Amino acid sequence: MQEVIDIRSDTVTRPSIGMLEAMMKSEVGDDVFGEDPTVNLLQKKCAEITGKESALFVPTGVMGNQLAIKSHTEPGDEVIVESESHILNYETAAPSVISSVQLFPVKGEDGIMDPDDVRKHIRSAEYYFPRTSLICLENTHNRAGGTIQPLGNILEISSLARERGIRTHLDGARIFNASAETGISVNEYASHFDSISFCFSKGLGCPVGSVLCGESAFIEKARKWRKILGGGMRQAGILAGAALYALENNITRLKQDHNKAMIFAGELSGIERINIDAGKVQTNIVIFSLKDTPKNLFLELMKKRGVILSSGSYEFIRAVFHLDVTEEQTLLAVEKIRAALS
Ligand code: TLP
């Protein structure tokens, strides 16, 4: 049988034996009653890591972002997001459905908004404008190809928000990737935001789970909305056990995924029929396009050859490196792409 190299996303990883053992050994209780010791431990650890008062274990990254929006805003408010952000593009218009808010997209460069553009788009107080009550950033930025938000930029936007009485949320689905690359702690990144969510189910290799961190009153509001949305998970300790295992074992290795992404991008830059700027790869995501081959045809062809890539935004194709793909498989994927395009 043909070996399948699945680099569609870092969400496709399967729990390792070590993680499964940790899950089996996890003590559980009913988390809707606040009685799951492993969930409680995980939430305490996440609050510590991010330097926030409280944390809430949630099933998905989308739920983390949506609970943050719901808990920070009132119906009729406006939320500033980057125009290629996950919240705007991949969350099924949930802010309008769940929070009755409007998103205002500000175009960034490689996913990074210019603080002056953000300033320009904060609404003044006239009664006929919506109230800008929240600014969201994404670090690393998925659609831009795993780019890292520069700390200086984060500081400018967060102090601007604070001056104007606007709350801030960080979609830190891949914040550990940013931290592994820059050496800036997750605590430091989180300190510039009122709330942060991050995912265990991506580069950290868990089957399920994300967390939302912030002030206690904010988390209590989010807990109520998690229940309303059907996210009260009962004996979720088996999942929290996987997340605790990932925090212990799967963080220091993230740089290996970045190295594989860089090797992959470097090799692709030598293929004539591919457009890629290998120098732009910063973490575990690579985006590239094809000079003369229709994207869907190429994706189908590669799938038949055992390399699963994902259709990125617009003309782009996306490859994401993770703990279930080796360096050898990375090079094999390159060879298969080279052969398909020759
Ligand atoms: N991203 C997925 C897809 O939805 C595109 C992927 O394959 O990368 N924030 C960011 C920045 C994300 O990339 C994702 C997932 C989420 C939030 C949502 O996480 P989940 O899938 O757990 O709801």
mmCIF file of all heavy atoms in Angstrom, residues 8-11 59-65 85-87 90-91 138-143 171-174 197 199 201-202 209-210 285 310 318 320, ligand 1:
data_model
loop_
_atom_site.group_PDB
_atom_site.id
_atom_site.type_symbol
_atom_site.label_atom_id
_atom_site.label_comp_id
_atom_site.label_asym_id
_atom_site.label_seq_id
_atom_site.Cartn_x
_atom_site.Cartn_y
_atom_site.Cartn_z
ATOM 1 N N ARG A 8 -1.894 18.329 5.069
ATOM 2 C CA ARG A 8 -3.016 19.263 4.922
ATOM 3 C C ARG A 8 -3.039 20.280 6.046
ATOM 4 O O ARG A 8 -3.364 21.436 5.876
ATOM 5 C CB ARG A 8 -4.321 18.465 5.081
ATOM 6 C CG ARG A 8 -5.094 18.271 3.868
ATOM 7 C CD ARG A 8 -6.291 17.448 4.203
ATOM 8 N NE ARG A 8 -5.920 16.168 4.852
ATOM 9 C CZ ARG A 8 -6.801 15.233 5.158
ATOM 10 N NH1 ARG A 8 -8.080 15.418 4.897
ATOM 11 N NH2 ARG A 8 -6.422 14.112 5.717
ATOM 12 N N SER A 9 -2.790 19.763 7.247
ATOM 13 C CA SER A 9 -2.921 20.608 8.436
ATOM 14 C C SER A 9 -2.210 19.917 9.595
ATOM 15 O O SER A 9 -1.982 18.691 9.548
ATOM 16 C CB SER A 9 -4.410 20.774 8.788
ATOM 17 O OG SER A 9 -4.536 21.601 9.923
ATOM 18 N N ASP A 10 -1.904 20.691 10.627
ATOM 19 C CA ASP A 10 -1.371 20.077 11.842
ATOM 20 C C ASP A 10 -2.511 19.564 12.726
ATOM 21 O O ASP A 10 -2.287 19.067 13.839
ATOM 22 C CB ASP A 10 -0.451 21.044 12.610
ATOM 23 C CG ASP A 10 -1.018 22.443 12.720
ATOM 24 O OD1 ASP A 10 -2.203 22.642 12.363
ATOM 25 O OD2 ASP A 10 -0.294 23.359 13.147
ATOM 26 N N THR A 11 -3.734 19.651 12.231
ATOM 27 C CA THR A 11 -4.880 19.097 12.969
ATOM 28 C C THR A 11 -5.026 17.587 12.738
ATOM 29 O O THR A 11 -5.829 16.950 13.402
ATOM 30 C CB THR A 11 -6.198 19.761 12.523
ATOM 31 O OG1 THR A 11 -6.359 19.525 11.114
ATOM 32 C CG2 THR A 11 -6.204 21.249 12.783
ATOM 33 N N PRO A 59 -13.884 22.660 23.556
ATOM 34 C CA PRO A 59 -13.645 21.610 22.564
ATOM 35 C C PRO A 59 -12.801 22.050 21.368
ATOM 36 O O PRO A 59 -12.038 21.250 20.829
ATOM 37 C CB PRO A 59 -15.051 21.210 22.087
ATOM 38 C CG PRO A 59 -16.024 21.904 22.952
ATOM 39 C CD PRO A 59 -15.319 22.942 23.760
ATOM 40 N N THR A 60 -12.952 23.302 20.917
ATOM 41 C CA THR A 60 -12.281 23.709 19.669
ATOM 42 C C THR A 60 -11.733 25.135 19.747
ATOM 43 O O THR A 60 -12.165 25.938 20.577
ATOM 44 C CB THR A 60 -13.287 23.687 18.489
ATOM 45 O OG1 THR A 60 -14.306 24.665 18.759
ATOM 46 C CG2 THR A 60 -13.920 22.329 18.282
ATOM 47 N N GLY A 61 -10.858 25.406 18.794
ATOM 48 C CA GLY A 61 -10.324 26.767 18.674
ATOM 49 C C GLY A 61 -11.417 27.747 18.298
ATOM 50 O O GLY A 61 -11.440 28.891 18.781
ATOM 51 N N VAL A 62 -12.330 27.314 17.451
ATOM 52 C CA VAL A 62 -13.448 28.187 17.067
ATOM 53 C C VAL A 62 -14.247 28.560 18.317
ATOM 54 O O VAL A 62 -14.580 29.727 18.524
ATOM 55 C CB VAL A 62 -14.358 27.511 16.002
ATOM 56 C CG1 VAL A 62 -15.646 28.297 15.824
ATOM 57 C CG2 VAL A 62 -13.632 27.373 14.670
ATOM 58 N N MET A 63 -14.515 27.559 19.174
ATOM 59 C CA MET A 63 -15.308 27.898 20.365
ATOM 60 C C MET A 63 -14.543 28.872 21.267
ATOM 61 O O MET A 63 -15.130 29.802 21.821
ATOM 62 C CB MET A 63 -15.754 26.665 21.147
ATOM 63 C CG MET A 63 -16.819 27.078 22.156
ATOM 64 S SD MET A 63 -17.448 25.777 23.209
ATOM 65 C CE MET A 63 -18.617 24.970 22.136
ATOM 66 N N GLY A 64 -13.237 28.701 21.381
ATOM 67 C CA GLY A 64 -12.436 29.634 22.181
ATOM 68 C C GLY A 64 -12.575 31.055 21.656
ATOM 69 O O GLY A 64 -12.828 31.999 22.421
ATOM 70 N N ASN A 65 -12.423 31.225 20.354
ATOM 71 C CA ASN A 65 -12.551 32.569 19.769
ATOM 72 C C ASN A 65 -13.956 33.119 19.945
ATOM 73 O O ASN A 65 -14.153 34.288 20.292
ATOM 74 C CB ASN A 65 -12.223 32.529 18.268
ATOM 75 C CG ASN A 65 -10.723 32.416 18.009
ATOM 76 O OD1 ASN A 65 -9.917 32.824 18.837
ATOM 77 N ND2 ASN A 65 -10.367 31.874 16.863
ATOM 78 N N SER A 85 -7.899 36.837 8.566
ATOM 79 C CA SER A 85 -7.907 36.090 9.839
ATOM 80 C C SER A 85 -8.822 34.870 9.794
ATOM 81 O O SER A 85 -9.780 34.807 9.016
ATOM 82 C CB SER A 85 -8.357 37.007 10.978
ATOM 83 O OG SER A 85 -9.688 37.439 10.733
ATOM 84 N N HIS A 86 -8.528 33.923 10.674
ATOM 85 C CA HIS A 86 -9.365 32.726 10.805
ATOM 86 C C HIS A 86 -10.762 33.126 11.252
ATOM 87 O O HIS A 86 -11.768 32.619 10.741
ATOM 88 C CB HIS A 86 -8.736 31.754 11.808
ATOM 89 C CG HIS A 86 -9.319 30.374 11.746
ATOM 90 N ND1 HIS A 86 -10.476 30.037 12.400
ATOM 91 C CD2 HIS A 86 -8.923 29.265 11.076
ATOM 92 C CE1 HIS A 86 -10.749 28.760 12.158
ATOM 93 N NE2 HIS A 86 -9.824 28.262 11.352
ATOM 94 N N ILE A 87 -10.853 34.070 12.197
ATOM 95 C CA ILE A 87 -12.164 34.475 12.723
ATOM 96 C C ILE A 87 -13.066 34.972 11.596
ATOM 97 O O ILE A 87 -14.254 34.648 11.544
ATOM 98 C CB ILE A 87 -11.983 35.565 13.819
ATOM 99 C CG1 ILE A 87 -11.381 34.929 15.072
ATOM 100 C CG2 ILE A 87 -13.320 36.251 14.143
ATOM 101 C CD1 ILE A 87 -11.044 35.921 16.188
ATOM 102 N N TYR A 90 -12.942 31.569 8.443
ATOM 103 C CA TYR A 90 -13.205 30.132 8.617
ATOM 104 C C TYR A 90 -14.133 29.827 9.792
ATOM 105 O O TYR A 90 -14.179 28.685 10.240
ATOM 106 C CB TYR A 90 -11.897 29.367 8.834
ATOM 107 C CG TYR A 90 -10.921 29.416 7.680
ATOM 108 C CD1 TYR A 90 -9.729 30.117 7.792
ATOM 109 C CD2 TYR A 90 -11.170 28.729 6.494
ATOM 110 C CE1 TYR A 90 -8.814 30.149 6.750
ATOM 111 C CE2 TYR A 90 -10.264 28.753 5.448
ATOM 112 C CZ TYR A 90 -9.086 29.463 5.586
ATOM 113 O OH TYR A 90 -8.182 29.485 4.553
ATOM 114 N N GLU A 91 -14.817 30.845 10.318
ATOM 115 C CA GLU A 91 -15.639 30.540 11.489
ATOM 116 C C GLU A 91 -17.122 30.741 11.187
ATOM 117 O O GLU A 91 -17.930 31.032 12.059
ATOM 118 C CB GLU A 91 -15.116 31.286 12.735
ATOM 119 C CG GLU A 91 -13.659 30.870 12.997
ATOM 120 C CD GLU A 91 -13.055 31.210 14.334
ATOM 121 O OE1 GLU A 91 -13.769 31.655 15.234
ATOM 122 O OE2 GLU A 91 -11.823 31.003 14.457
ATOM 123 N N GLU A 138 -4.066 37.399 15.385
ATOM 124 C CA GLU A 138 -3.848 35.949 15.220
ATOM 125 C C GLU A 138 -2.343 35.688 15.168
ATOM 126 O O GLU A 138 -1.641 36.270 14.341
ATOM 127 C CB GLU A 138 -4.531 35.524 13.906
ATOM 128 C CG GLU A 138 -4.523 34.040 13.632
ATOM 129 C CD GLU A 138 -5.336 33.722 12.371
ATOM 130 O OE1 GLU A 138 -6.474 34.233 12.204
ATOM 131 O OE2 GLU A 138 -4.810 32.969 11.520
ATOM 132 N N ASN A 139 -1.860 34.824 16.051
ATOM 133 C CA ASN A 139 -0.422 34.566 16.138
ATOM 134 C C ASN A 139 -0.181 33.098 16.454
ATOM 135 O O ASN A 139 -0.579 32.648 17.528
ATOM 136 C CB ASN A 139 0.172 35.436 17.263
ATOM 137 C CG ASN A 139 1.660 35.595 17.163
ATOM 138 O OD1 ASN A 139 2.273 35.232 16.169
ATOM 139 N ND2 ASN A 139 2.271 36.138 18.212
ATOM 140 N N THR A 140 0.406 32.314 15.511
ATOM 141 C CA THR A 140 0.859 32.730 14.203
ATOM 142 C C THR A 140 -0.344 32.908 13.282
ATOM 143 O O THR A 140 -1.422 32.389 13.573
ATOM 144 C CB THR A 140 1.823 31.675 13.609
ATOM 145 O OG1 THR A 140 1.104 30.446 13.385
ATOM 146 C CG2 THR A 140 2.958 31.378 14.549
ATOM 147 N N HIS A 141 -0.121 33.595 12.180
ATOM 148 C CA HIS A 141 -1.219 33.857 11.259
ATOM 149 C C HIS A 141 -1.296 32.735 10.226
ATOM 150 O O HIS A 141 -0.378 32.537 9.431
ATOM 151 C CB HIS A 141 -0.987 35.214 10.583
ATOM 152 C CG HIS A 141 -2.201 35.739 9.891
ATOM 153 N ND1 HIS A 141 -2.727 35.132 8.773
ATOM 154 C CD2 HIS A 141 -3.004 36.801 10.145
ATOM 155 C CE1 HIS A 141 -3.800 35.807 8.384
ATOM 156 N NE2 HIS A 141 -3.981 36.820 9.203
ATOM 157 N N ASN A 142 -2.430 32.040 10.260
ATOM 158 C CA ASN A 142 -2.592 30.843 9.432
ATOM 159 C C ASN A 142 -2.539 31.142 7.936
ATOM 160 O O ASN A 142 -1.649 30.691 7.213
ATOM 161 C CB ASN A 142 -3.925 30.181 9.843
ATOM 162 C CG ASN A 142 -4.229 28.915 9.080
ATOM 163 O OD1 ASN A 142 -3.542 28.563 8.130
ATOM 164 N ND2 ASN A 142 -5.280 28.231 9.489
ATOM 165 N N ARG A 143 -3.492 31.931 7.467
ATOM 166 C CA ARG A 143 -3.601 32.169 6.020
ATOM 167 C C ARG A 143 -2.389 32.864 5.415
ATOM 168 O O ARG A 143 -2.097 32.711 4.227
ATOM 169 C CB ARG A 143 -4.821 33.044 5.738
ATOM 170 C CG ARG A 143 -6.013 32.264 5.261
ATOM 171 C CD ARG A 143 -7.024 33.248 4.682
ATOM 172 N NE ARG A 143 -8.140 32.530 4.156
ATOM 173 C CZ ARG A 143 -8.988 33.007 3.256
ATOM 174 N NH1 ARG A 143 -8.856 34.238 2.805
ATOM 175 N NH2 ARG A 143 -9.981 32.289 2.815
ATOM 176 N N ASP A 171 -6.097 35.244 19.059
ATOM 177 C CA ASP A 171 -6.310 33.882 18.565
ATOM 178 C C ASP A 171 -4.905 33.273 18.462
ATOM 179 O O ASP A 171 -4.214 33.427 17.465
ATOM 180 C CB ASP A 171 -7.016 33.904 17.202
ATOM 181 C CG ASP A 171 -7.131 32.505 16.596
ATOM 182 O OD1 ASP A 171 -6.579 31.552 17.177
ATOM 183 O OD2 ASP A 171 -7.766 32.374 15.527
ATOM 184 N N GLY A 172 -4.526 32.624 19.547
ATOM 185 C CA GLY A 172 -3.178 32.046 19.616
ATOM 186 C C GLY A 172 -3.225 30.552 19.361
ATOM 187 O O GLY A 172 -2.520 29.795 20.028
ATOM 188 N N ALA A 173 -4.052 30.147 18.397
ATOM 189 C CA ALA A 173 -4.162 28.717 18.055
ATOM 190 C C ALA A 173 -2.765 28.083 17.994
ATOM 191 O O ALA A 173 -2.554 26.987 18.505
ATOM 192 C CB ALA A 173 -4.892 28.557 16.729
ATOM 193 N N ARG A 174 -1.814 28.805 17.380
ATOM 194 C CA ARG A 174 -0.438 28.281 17.230
ATOM 195 C C ARG A 174 0.568 29.180 17.960
ATOM 196 O O ARG A 174 1.680 29.402 17.476
ATOM 197 C CB ARG A 174 -0.086 28.150 15.746
ATOM 198 C CG ARG A 174 -0.967 27.169 15.001
ATOM 199 C CD ARG A 174 -0.532 26.950 13.557
ATOM 200 N NE ARG A 174 -1.378 25.961 12.901
ATOM 201 C CZ ARG A 174 -2.554 26.231 12.333
ATOM 202 N NH1 ARG A 174 -3.013 27.474 12.320
ATOM 203 N NH2 ARG A 174 -3.261 25.269 11.764
ATOM 204 N N SER A 197 -6.676 32.544 23.341
ATOM 205 C CA SER A 197 -7.056 31.134 23.215
ATOM 206 C C SER A 197 -5.914 30.435 22.499
ATOM 207 O O SER A 197 -5.221 31.045 21.693
ATOM 208 C CB SER A 197 -8.354 30.988 22.433
ATOM 209 O OG SER A 197 -8.290 31.704 21.220
ATOM 210 N N CYS A 199 -4.676 26.236 20.953
ATOM 211 C CA CYS A 199 -5.164 24.890 20.623
ATOM 212 C C CYS A 199 -4.177 23.806 21.033
ATOM 213 O O CYS A 199 -2.967 23.955 20.830
ATOM 214 C CB CYS A 199 -5.419 24.773 19.116
ATOM 215 S SG CYS A 199 -6.672 25.914 18.531
ATOM 216 N N SER A 201 -4.958 20.782 19.768
ATOM 217 C CA SER A 201 -5.238 19.823 18.697
ATOM 218 C C SER A 201 -4.481 20.126 17.409
ATOM 219 O O SER A 201 -4.743 19.507 16.382
ATOM 220 C CB SER A 201 -6.742 19.829 18.411
ATOM 221 O OG SER A 201 -7.139 21.153 18.082
ATOM 222 N N LYS A 202 -3.534 21.056 17.463
ATOM 223 C CA LYS A 202 -2.732 21.348 16.253
ATOM 224 C C LYS A 202 -1.299 20.844 16.489
ATOM 225 O O LYS A 202 -1.134 19.650 16.694
ATOM 226 C CB LYS A 202 -2.825 22.838 15.936
ATOM 227 C CG LYS A 202 -4.281 23.240 15.719
ATOM 228 C CD LYS A 202 -4.464 24.560 15.048
ATOM 229 C CE LYS A 202 -5.906 24.728 14.600
ATOM 230 N NZ LYS A 202 -6.881 24.692 15.707
ATOM 231 N N GLY A 209 -9.281 19.690 21.618
ATOM 232 C CA GLY A 209 -9.160 20.601 22.755
ATOM 233 C C GLY A 209 -8.433 21.898 22.507
ATOM 234 O O GLY A 209 -7.453 21.964 21.770
ATOM 235 N N SER A 210 -8.958 22.930 23.128
ATOM 236 C CA SER A 210 -8.370 24.267 23.117
ATOM 237 C C SER A 210 -8.641 24.882 24.484
ATOM 238 O O SER A 210 -9.374 24.298 25.302
ATOM 239 C CB SER A 210 -9.033 25.133 22.037
ATOM 240 O OG SER A 210 -8.686 24.660 20.755
ATOM 241 N N ILE A 285 4.068 26.395 8.624
ATOM 242 C CA ILE A 285 3.146 26.464 7.482
ATOM 243 C C ILE A 285 3.888 26.988 6.250
ATOM 244 O O ILE A 285 4.659 27.945 6.342
ATOM 245 C CB ILE A 285 1.935 27.377 7.810
ATOM 246 C CG1 ILE A 285 1.199 26.845 9.052
ATOM 247 C CG2 ILE A 285 0.995 27.483 6.620
ATOM 248 C CD1 ILE A 285 -0.012 27.664 9.486
ATOM 249 N N SER A 310 -3.382 21.038 1.282
ATOM 250 C CA SER A 310 -4.697 21.679 1.349
ATOM 251 C C SER A 310 -4.753 22.893 0.452
ATOM 252 O O SER A 310 -3.742 23.518 0.134
ATOM 253 C CB SER A 310 -5.099 22.004 2.785
ATOM 254 O OG SER A 310 -4.437 23.135 3.240
ATOM 255 N N ARG A 318 -1.471 24.958 0.541
ATOM 256 C CA ARG A 318 -0.865 25.024 1.870
ATOM 257 C C ARG A 318 -0.335 23.666 2.299
ATOM 258 O O ARG A 318 -0.986 22.633 2.074
ATOM 259 C CB ARG A 318 -1.923 25.510 2.871
ATOM 260 C CG ARG A 318 -1.369 25.792 4.252
ATOM 261 C CD ARG A 318 -2.482 26.187 5.209
ATOM 262 N NE ARG A 318 -3.271 25.019 5.569
ATOM 263 C CZ ARG A 318 -3.923 24.863 6.727
ATOM 264 N NH1 ARG A 318 -3.904 25.845 7.620
ATOM 265 N NH2 ARG A 318 -4.611 23.782 6.990
ATOM 266 N N VAL A 320 1.340 21.939 5.874
ATOM 267 C CA VAL A 320 1.573 22.221 7.297
ATOM 268 C C VAL A 320 2.341 21.043 7.901
ATOM 269 O O VAL A 320 1.947 19.888 7.731
ATOM 270 C CB VAL A 320 0.244 22.434 8.057
ATOM 271 C CG1 VAL A 320 0.510 22.905 9.480
ATOM 272 C CG2 VAL A 320 -0.656 23.428 7.337
HETATM 273 N N1 TLP B 1 -7.495 26.067 11.441
HETATM 274 C C1 TLP B 1 -7.712 24.945 10.547
HETATM 275 C C2 TLP B 1 -8.773 25.282 9.501
HETATM 276 O O1 TLP B 1 -9.907 25.749 10.101
HETATM 277 C C3 TLP B 1 -8.308 26.261 8.478
HETATM 278 C C4 TLP B 1 -6.399 24.555 9.909
HETATM 279 O O2 TLP B 1 -6.358 23.494 9.286
HETATM 280 O O3 TLP B 1 -5.422 25.314 10.028
HETATM 281 N N2 TLP B 1 -7.618 29.779 14.797
HETATM 282 C C5 TLP B 1 -6.707 29.463 13.863
HETATM 283 C C6 TLP B 1 -5.612 30.422 13.581
HETATM 284 C C7 TLP B 1 -6.780 28.250 13.183
HETATM 285 O O4 TLP B 1 -5.888 27.971 12.253
HETATM 286 C C8 TLP B 1 -7.830 27.356 13.500
HETATM 287 C C9 TLP B 1 -8.006 26.053 12.746
HETATM 288 C C10 TLP B 1 -8.741 27.721 14.480
HETATM 289 C C11 TLP B 1 -8.617 28.952 15.118
HETATM 290 C C12 TLP B 1 -9.918 26.847 14.837
HETATM 291 O O5 TLP B 1 -9.564 25.682 15.481
HETATM 292 P P1 TLP B 1 -10.567 24.413 15.520
HETATM 293 O O6 TLP B 1 -10.448 23.723 14.226
HETATM 294 O O7 TLP B 1 -10.087 23.626 16.689
HETATM 295 O O8 TLP B 1 -11.930 24.956 15.766
#
